[in-house]
Amino acid sequence: MSEQIHVYAGTAGHSAWFSEDAGETWVHPNSHSGMYLEARVWSLAAHAQTPDTLFAGTDMGIYRWSESSARWTRLPAPMEDVWSVQVHPRQPAVLLAGTRPAGFYRSMDGGVNWSALPAPGISEFSTVNMGPTRVTQILFDPLDDQVVWAGVEIGGIYRSGDGGATWQAMDRGLISGDVHGLAVIPSPAGSVMFATTNRGLHRSSDGGAHWLYTELDSPWQYTRAIVPRADQSGVVFLTNGNGPPGSTGRLLVSRDYGTTWAAAQLPGRLNSTPWCVATHPADPMLVFVGTNLGQLFRSRDGGESFERLPHEFGELRALAWRPLPGGTRRAEHSVTRRVAA
């Protein structure tokens, strides 16, 4: 691949980190970059049509990163604790955000202005954990981008059929409302959906109308991220462990659209539950996986084998990578040269 690869990591307490060498080394921008050094970065999102821009949902609001200036800008949004941010797949000016306590917001102008979105029945507080709920993932349906899905911890699954303007609960059959991750997997036999929870994996074959608990052949049923490899090949990654943060876990891989699962070989002893998976259509064979307590792994063959990378974060919450066109590659504005602590 001719493009430069940038990898991004969001941490819980050490803001965002950047790698310009496919995860071998990492740079932690200093306070002059515009984001508090101890911010909690819950989510990251970008769009191929705007390679200079990256969005981060944090405990201090929503931020926009500029690759050319190597600076963060806090957007003037009404949300204080943003757990999930997503960019519309065809319209890069349209953003959706989910918060803690759970709520939905939308911007139609790249994050300049935001409006709250109605979600009847959504709760801001859960008696299960005696704390606020939070939106753990927002997902545009790959078959119809007017359909948007959201997982709420602890509050179930919500669906929008109008691009996020309105929402309805879709949690029939869930054995737990503690929803962590969502995936829509198009397959030759028809689209199938998955939801991960603290009590296990759920599957839906009717567009989320009904969910069926699917027991894993694993010592633990706790699941976090479920991410299809970015080539529509039927390969799906699922993170599984013994709790949050847990003390060990496994990365499971399906090669048949989520029908069966097998353990991937992550080298060494895991220090916690695998938490994040990052893949990109520019190179579906390049996959990154991170554990909750900061271990990082890389595969160059689409998940058939992994290598452990040397850097270890304190607590990892978000992971993403993307190619940047050659013209975006910076010399005088590089992250390494201008914002390293």
Side-chain angles (χ1 to χ4, degrees):
M1 180 182 296
S2 59
E3 297 96 337
Q4 180 187 12
I5 299 300
H6 277 197
V7 192
Y8 310 93
T11 69
H14 293 280
S15 70
W17 293 64
F18 301 80
S19 174
E20 296 183 348
D21 55 10
E24 292 290 340
T25 61
W26 293 81
V27 172
H28 187 207
N30 62 27
S31 56
H32 299 296
S33 70
M35 182 186 290
Y36 179 48
L37 284 179
E38 297 178 10
R40 298 177 178 181
V41 178
W42 308 118
S43 60
L44 298 164
H47 196 285
Q49 294 181 25
T50 53
D52 187 62
T53 301
L54 175 77
F55 295 96
T58 83
D59 64 336
M60 304 179 70
I62 188 165
Y63 284 78
R64 181 180 61 226
W65 171 260
S66 168
E67 291 285 356
S68 57
S69 66
R71 293 292 182 270
W72 288 106
T73 300
R74 189 180 189 278
L75 299 181
M79 308 89 73
E80 293 184 358
D81 196 356
V82 180
W83 273 61
S84 184
V85 59
Q86 192 56 263
V87 187
H88 192 286
R90 291 185 298 106
Q91 304 173 56
V94 177
L95 308 176
L96 291 177
T99 59
R100 172 186 182 268
F104 301 113
Y105 295 82
R106 183 171 64 179
S107 173
M108 306 295 288
D109 54 13
V112 177
N113 297 284
W114 294 83
S115 57
L117 307 172
I122 199 167
S123 174
E124 294 187 350
F125 184 87
S126 172
T127 57
V128 175
N129 68 343
M130 300 308 294
T133 57
R134 51 259 185 181
V135 179
T136 48
Q137 184 177 358
I138 293 176
L139 175 70
F140 283 92
D141 195 304
L143 300 177
D144 181 357
D145 57 30
Q146 278 296 102
V147 175
V148 192
W149 298 92
V152 181
E153 182 187 38
I154 301 170
I157 296 171
Y158 280 77
R159 178 189 184 275
S160 172
D162 52 15
T166 59
W167 298 82
Q168 61 177 338
M170 300 285 287
D171 54 7
R172 186 175 179 181
L174 290 180
I175 66 170
S176 172
D178 189 356
V179 178
H180 300 149
L182 297 167
V184 178
I185 315 292
S187 77
S191 178
V192 61
M193 290 193 65
F194 291 95
T196 63
T197 75
N198 66 323
R199 294 179 59 189
L201 181 67
H202 293 72
R203 179 186 180 108
S204 174
S205 57
D206 58 5
H210 302 84
W211 295 92
L212 179 66
Y213 168 67
T214 303
E215 185 173 1
L216 298 171
D217 181 14
S218 171
W220 328 281
Q221 295 304 308
Y222 184 93
T223 51
R224 198 75 203 185
I226 183 162
V227 180
R229 199 170 72 188
D231 57 2
Q232 299 183 347
S233 63
V235 175
V236 188
F237 301 102
L238 173 65
T239 62
N240 171 227
N242 63 349
S247 57
T248 189
R250 304 193 303 177
L251 176 69
L252 300 178
V253 181
S254 173
R255 295 173 177 83
D256 52 12
Y257 302 93
T259 302
T260 62
W261 300 90
Q265 298 304 310
L266 297 180
R269 181 185 180 279
L270 301 193
N271 66 358
S272 55
T273 295
W275 209 259
C276 310
V277 178
T279 180
H280 196 283
D283 183 1
M285 297 297 104
L286 180 60
V287 181
F288 293 90
V289 174
T291 68
N292 187 218
L293 295 184
Q295 291 173 327
L296 190 64
F297 303 87
R298 179 181 62 203
S299 173
R300 295 187 182 274
D301 56 11
E304 295 301 317
S305 63
F306 284 87
E307 59 184 315
R308 170 93 177 266
L309 295 175
H311 189 89
E312 189 166 315
F313 300 96
E315 183 177 348
L316 190 60
R317 287 302 189 117
L319 196 58
W321 79 266
R322 62 176 173 172
L324 297 181
T328 308
R329 184 165 186 162
R330 305 175 306 276
E332 69 276 18
H333 295 305
S334 74
V335 174
T336 304
R337 294 178 59 177
R338 292 199 49 191
V339 300

